[in-house]
Amino acid sequence: MRSLNPLLDMEMNSSSQHILLIEDDRPLGLQLRRGLLNDGYVVSWVTRLQDATDKLQRESFQFIILDWMLPDGDGVEWLKKIRVLGVGTPVILLTARSQVEDKVRGLDAGADDYLAKPFALAELLARLRTLLRRRQSSDSKELKIGDLTLDLLSRKLIDSQNRTVELTPKEYDFLACLAVHCCEAVSRDTLAREVWQGEGRYTSLDNVIDVHVTNLRRKLKQLIGTDPIITVRGVGFRLLINDRTSDNEIQSSN
């Protein structure tokens, strides 16, 4: 099998994205294929791992949506094999298994995200968009946030006058997470998962998140003279640069 790296020239328009869907449940496969096509993706749907292997040898894909249990084998074991062979295509794993140990096994095998059945199509589409943004930002050495720049090599935040503010590792990861989702609300659950690699939130982690928000707001205000982190009621936070806060959003007083 040849090594694939199909995301180098990726665009945000989903119509340019080719998805390999590996799902043997016919009603679910039809539903997913229809929903993905309606959202502008190109979809190749197979029901067996051997067919998926053949597809990967002949075509390039931007994403793989992989069911765990297939008629001819274990999807997670197949995923391990293609990772060893150099296939770096982002994979979303689908399974009815929802135990923590199952999630850990799937992610350790090389999955980029995990959806427990049953799930909403809207959530799958949102996760595909998130993976696309992550890969685009990781392919670049810099991430622009208005007039600010996150240097992904030095892990520094730099303004238009080349002034730098040193961030702690978690502050950097926190800000990068907000930046990847720039102008979108990022939930506390997402922050717990992506910044602290937690399976869920609990009170002490909420307190830690609040401390990092306070510290980041202080540093950003020193840098650009304003606080761009918006608190979205009942959801989490949104990074807003050179824009106005809407009436139904209130900045935290922290």
Side-chain angles (χ1 to χ4, degrees):
M1 182 182 299
R2 61 189 175 91
S3 174
L4 303 178
N5 191 6
L7 297 177
L8 292 179
D9 298 318
M10 187 166 48
E11 298 177 358
M12 284 301 290
N13 186 353
S14 63
S15 64
S16 65
Q17 310 307 310
H18 192 182
I19 292 178
L20 176 59
L21 172 62
I22 311 168
E23 172 59 67
D24 68 314
D25 184 317
R26 184 166 179 79
L28 177 58
L30 287 170
Q31 180 184 3
L32 292 177
R33 182 176 181 273
R34 185 183 308 113
L36 291 166
L37 288 172
N38 288 340
D39 206 53
Y41 293 95
V42 177
V43 182
S44 292
W45 175 29
V46 298
T47 60
R48 300 175 62 87
L49 293 172
Q50 184 57 56
D51 294 335
T53 299
D54 294 341
K55 283 280 188 182
L56 281 175
Q57 290 175 333
R58 299 193 307 268
E59 303 176 54
S60 293
F61 295 91
Q62 281 66 57
F63 300 102
I64 297 173
I65 299 174
L66 172 65
D67 189 24
W68 189 312
M69 298 304 299
L70 281 303
D72 57 340
D74 184 317
V76 168
E77 292 303 315
W78 178 83
L79 176 57
K80 289 180 182 178
K81 293 177 182 177
I82 68 169
R83 290 301 192 224
V84 170
L85 291 171
V87 177
T89 310
V91 173
I92 295 181
L93 186 63
L94 307 180
T95 178
R97 302 180 181 184
S98 58
Q99 298 299 314
V100 172
E101 54 267 28
D102 294 322
K103 295 181 181 181
V104 170
R105 182 186 168 200
L107 294 170
D108 284 347
D112 296 89
D113 207 343
Y114 186 110
L115 268 178
K117 299 177 182 179
F119 57 86
L121 175 63
E123 182 177 5
L124 173 61
L125 295 175
R127 289 179 184 243
L128 285 169
R129 292 192 296 270
T130 297
L131 286 177
L132 181 58
R133 288 193 298 266
R134 285 181 190 168
R135 187 57 182 263
Q136 284 186 314
S137 64
S138 66
D139 286 342
S140 173
K141 295 180 181 179
E142 295 181 344
L143 185 61
K144 289 290 186 181
I145 313 168
D147 292 333
L148 302 177
T149 300
L150 270 179
D151 189 313
L152 302 181
L153 296 179
S154 65
R155 293 177 65 90
K156 293 180 180 178
L157 181 65
I158 304 168
D159 70 1
S160 57
Q161 280 77 48
N162 207 32
R163 296 177 300 186
T164 300
V165 170
E166 296 289 346
L167 301 177
T168 67
K170 285 302 181 188
E171 287 172 352
Y172 173 87
D173 292 339
F174 193 109
L175 183 58
C177 182
L178 294 181
V180 167
H181 299 273
C182 191
C183 300
E184 297 179 10
V186 180
S187 70
R188 287 175 175 265
D189 286 331
T190 297
L191 290 166
R193 182 176 66 250
E194 296 187 8
V195 179
W196 281 273
Q197 288 78 50
E199 289 294 333
R201 281 167 42 218
Y202 44 91
T203 302
S204 59
L205 185 52
D206 272 339
N207 293 337
V208 171
I209 290 174
D210 289 334
V211 169
H212 281 78
V213 169
T214 299
N215 291 339
L216 269 177
R217 281 180 163 142
R218 174 176 52 81
K219 292 183 177 183
L220 291 172
K221 191 169 184 178
Q222 289 175 350
L223 185 64
I224 60 177
T226 187
D227 175 9
I229 300 178
I230 308 304
T231 297
V232 183
R233 286 196 186 101
V235 180
F237 306 96
R238 181 158 68 99
L239 187 65
L240 192 63
I241 302 291
N242 297 330
D243 202 349
R244 298 176 59 188
T245 305
S246 63
D247 293 337
N248 63 347
E249 294 170 344
I250 298 178
Q251 296 186 27
S252 170
S253 60
N254 290 339

